[in-house]
Structures are given as structure tokens and as C-alpha cells.
Amino acid sequence: MALVDRISGALDSGPGGVILTSVDALINWARGQSLWAFPMGTACCAMELIAASFSKFDFDRMGTFPRPDPRHTDVMILAGTITEKMRPAVRRLYEQMPDPKWVVAMGNCTVSGGIFYYDTYSVVRGADEFLPVDVYVAGCPPRPESLQDAIIQLRRLVAEESIAPGRRHEQTTTLPRPKAGGDR
Amino acid sequence: MTPDEMAALLERITAHNPRLHPLFSLEFGDAVVGVERAELFATAADLRDAGFDRLGMVTAVDRDEVFVLVYRLHSRSLSAAIFLKTLVPRDDAWVASLVELWPAALWQEREVFDLFGIHFEGHPDLRRILLPDDFVGHPLRKDYDDPRLIRRPDYI
């Protein structure tokens, strides 16, 4: 039985405490430092995605490493226009990824449809029509540095997660995000 | 190929084939020949036997009442390339398939069928190739409309 599973059982007997926070921090640290990426390169943004992995930008130093198999990966990087014909394939690959998993929408096409937003009969207007996107990266295409910044932002999201159901560790972030229950 | 050589080639092709009509003697430096729809296959077979051994491209143009089908033929032996064009009425959109002459037409004609809805008689596998199989309509027709389309506003 995995460590995470045993802690989950212990949590049911009472409210969380110092140990809970520490375990969350440990697990989220481990997860956030090795976000292996599934390079879902469907169009030209894939070139920048590839460049981010090579020596000049060196994605490895951030623990992000492209793997061709969705079963080995934590984060799906959607790089490029998603057509209606490609949508079921992307969805299926996403479902093959093990939990926990995250999605980065790289480039204007996956954010909103981009230049294909108007007058298109074949393009999905934004990957969030069918996938839960965590981080959006604008650009046509975004620079590799932008994609690496997206992974850094994604680490903040990862750090918010808890193995206890319903609990989140709010992080300070520069991302504009809606606050639950208004201003506090 | 110089314009003079191209004109000579066009003269030679059309002189021996009464079915071929030179549409424009030179367009973008290339010869363009037109043919009646019913005679497309026989003419294309003649051209292939005359040395045009490679089909480079099949496409279509929507001219409202008709579709213009465009074939790009290359010849390695003549070091030449021509356009072969034929007109297809919009309300009776079919044309003979050229797959038997050039296997390269297999996917090219499927693409024209997919996007323009022109039927290729004799094509062994006329299915959609680019759009999803359950797609309704042929989107490169000028009268295509789709409720999912978001029209671009004038100010963009």
C-alpha cells in the first residue's frame, strides 16, 4: 500500500493538523518538481514546445521532460490548433493519463481558437471546451520561456492541492484568479 | 521552359487532339487546356500516353453556377507541366475519376469530394478524408452555412 493511501485512511478519523500540512507539502513538492509532459503537438506551436526541451532552453532543469506515452506523464501540453476531427483523439489521450494530471493550453489556438475563432467549420474554439485547462499561455506561438513560466505557475497550482478531500492550500500567485466567496 | 517553348508545346498537344481547347494560351507561364466534362477521361488518358506521367494536384474552384475542376499534370520526358480544366454544373456535380490513370488521384479526389461535394464516378473509395465522417455539408462551397459558424464582425 502506497504512503499516500495510508495517510488518506488516517485522515478520516479526525481533523487534519501539522502532519497533514507537511505531507501535502512533501507530496506537492515531489509532484511539482517533476511534471513530466505529454507533448500534444497538433500544429506549429509544437516547434516552440520542442525548442523548450532542447539544450538552449533546457526544460529538463525544471524537471519537465517530454514523454511520448500518456501513461508516463503528469501534464498534457496542448501545442497547436485542435480540429474537430482531432478532438476525440486528444480527449482519449488525456483520459489515458494517470491521476493527478494537469493541462497547459499553449498558444492562442488552444486558448480560444486564435485566428481560427471566426468563420471556421473545423476548429475547436479553445481546449477548455472539452478539457479542464489549468494554465493558459497566450502567444502565436509563445516563446519557450513563456511555456517554462507556465510550468512554474502550474507548480503553484500543484502546491495548493491536498490529499484531504475539499481542502486546499491557498498560494500567493501573480495569476489573476477569481477568489471563492469574493474578497476576503 | 520559355514562353515560346510553352506555346509550341500547347500547339503540339492541342493540334492532335480535337477534344482539347486551349483556354488561355499562357497563364502564369503555364499552358492551360480545357475539355468537356464527358471527354475528360479519354482526354486525360491521351495526355498521359503523350508523356504526362504525373498528376501533381487536383482541386476545384467554386464559380457559383459551375465548379471549375483543375488538374495539374507534369511530364518528366517533356520537362513540362500543364493545367487541365473542366467545368462541372453545380446542380449535377459529378465527373469521371482519374484513379485508373494516376493512382495519385485517390486521395486528391477524396479531398475535392470532401470539401466541394463533387462526385467522382468510378472512384474505388470515395469517402471523406479531412473532415470527420459524420460531418454534414461541403464547407468550401460558397453557399455553405453552418449554425456553429461565428461570423467575423466588420471592425476586425
Side-chain angles (χ1 to χ4, degrees):
Chain A
M1 199 179 213
L3 173 71
V4 179
D5 296 332
R6 273 183 281 147
I7 294 170
S8 298
L11 282 170
D12 291 336
S13 59
V18 175
I19 295 174
L20 171 67
T21 308
S22 301
V23 169
D24 275 346
L26 177 69
I27 290 172
N28 291 339
W29 170 80
R31 282 175 176 168
Q33 300 298 315
S34 71
L35 290 164
W36 284 16
F38 181 66
M40 189 68 238
T42 45
C44 32
C45 276
M47 294 301 118
E48 300 296 312
L49 172 61
I50 293 163
S53 297
F54 284 161
S55 52
K56 184 167 183 177
F57 298 100
D58 194 14
F59 231 154
D60 277 22
R61 69 200 155 93
M62 313 174 79
T64 295
F65 182 68
R67 295 288 301 171
D69 189 339
R71 291 177 178 83
H72 298 172
T73 54
D74 309 296
V75 51
M76 174 179 262
I77 299 177
L78 297 161
T81 318
I82 300 169
T83 58
E84 291 287 348
K85 195 170 187 179
M86 198 66 191
R87 180 210 293 249
V90 175
R91 179 75 205 180
R92 186 169 180 178
L93 286 164
Y94 173 76
E95 285 166 359
Q96 286 176 0
M97 290 166 62
D99 281 320
K101 52 191 169 186
W102 297 274
V103 177
V104 172
M106 178 190 182
N108 290 351
C109 290
T110 52
V111 172
S112 69
I115 60 169
F116 304 108
Y117 182 81
Y118 291 117
D119 298 333
T120 184
Y121 52 86
S122 59
V123 175
V124 179
R125 293 185 189 88
D128 48 11
E129 286 198 357
F130 67 105
L131 285 182
V133 177
D134 294 293
V135 181
Y136 298 85
V137 191
C140 189
R143 296 269 311 167
E145 297 95 319
S146 302
L147 182 63
Q148 292 177 334
D149 183 58
I151 293 296
I152 292 171
Q153 303 294 344
L154 184 59
R155 279 183 191 163
R156 299 175 191 266
L157 287 178
V158 172
E160 288 192 353
E161 299 199 352
S162 170
I163 54 175
R167 179 187 285 264
R168 290 192 74 79
H169 304 291
E170 292 292 333
Q171 301 288 310
T172 57
T173 175
T174 54
L175 290 175
R177 290 165 58 201
K179 285 180 183 170
D183 291 336
R184 277 182 289 174
Chain B
M1 224 177 196
T2 66
D4 287 344
E5 287 173 327
M6 187 63 73
L9 172 74
L10 191 63
E11 175 76 29
R12 207 171 58 207
I13 294 169
T14 53
H16 299 295
N17 200 328
R19 290 188 290 250
L20 282 173
H21 314 290
L23 285 179
F24 315 102
S25 58
L26 293 170
E27 187 180 87
F28 308 120
D30 281 324
V32 180
V33 289
V35 65
E36 292 293 326
R37 170 169 71 166
E39 294 166 344
L40 175 71
F41 188 88
T43 311
D46 287 348
L47 284 171
R48 187 194 62 170
D49 297 340
F52 286 92
D53 52 357
R54 179 171 178 270
L55 176 67
M57 179 190 78
V58 182
T59 188
V61 185
D62 188 347
R63 295 287 189 203
D64 291 332
E65 68 275 11
V66 291
F67 295 113
V68 185
L69 265 172
V70 183
Y71 297 85
R72 178 74 166 154
L73 304 179
H74 296 267
S75 171
R76 289 178 292 179
S77 54
L78 302 172
S79 291
I82 60 168
F83 286 106
L84 177 66
K85 293 188 178 182
T86 189
L87 299 182
V88 177
R90 186 184 201 85
D91 49 5
D92 185 28
W94 65 267
V95 74
S97 170
L98 302 186
V99 172
E100 283 179 40
L101 301 175
W102 296 282
L106 200 64
W107 281 14
Q108 295 275 316
E109 290 181 349
R110 277 178 66 185
E111 183 181 348
V112 174
F113 163 73
D114 193 357
L115 300 175
F116 285 94
I118 297 170
H119 285 262
F120 289 85
E121 300 292 326
H123 191 288
D125 185 27
L126 198 62
R127 293 179 287 127
R128 287 192 184 276
I129 186 169
L130 294 175
L131 295 168
D133 291 336
D134 56 354
F135 196 90
V136 178
H138 302 287
L140 286 195
R141 288 188 172 203
K142 286 194 187 298
D143 59 355
Y144 174 79
D145 198 15
D146 187 334
R148 295 173 299 172
L149 288 183
I150 299 175
R151 287 294 176 196
R152 183 164 58 189
D154 292 336
Y155 52 82
I156 290 184

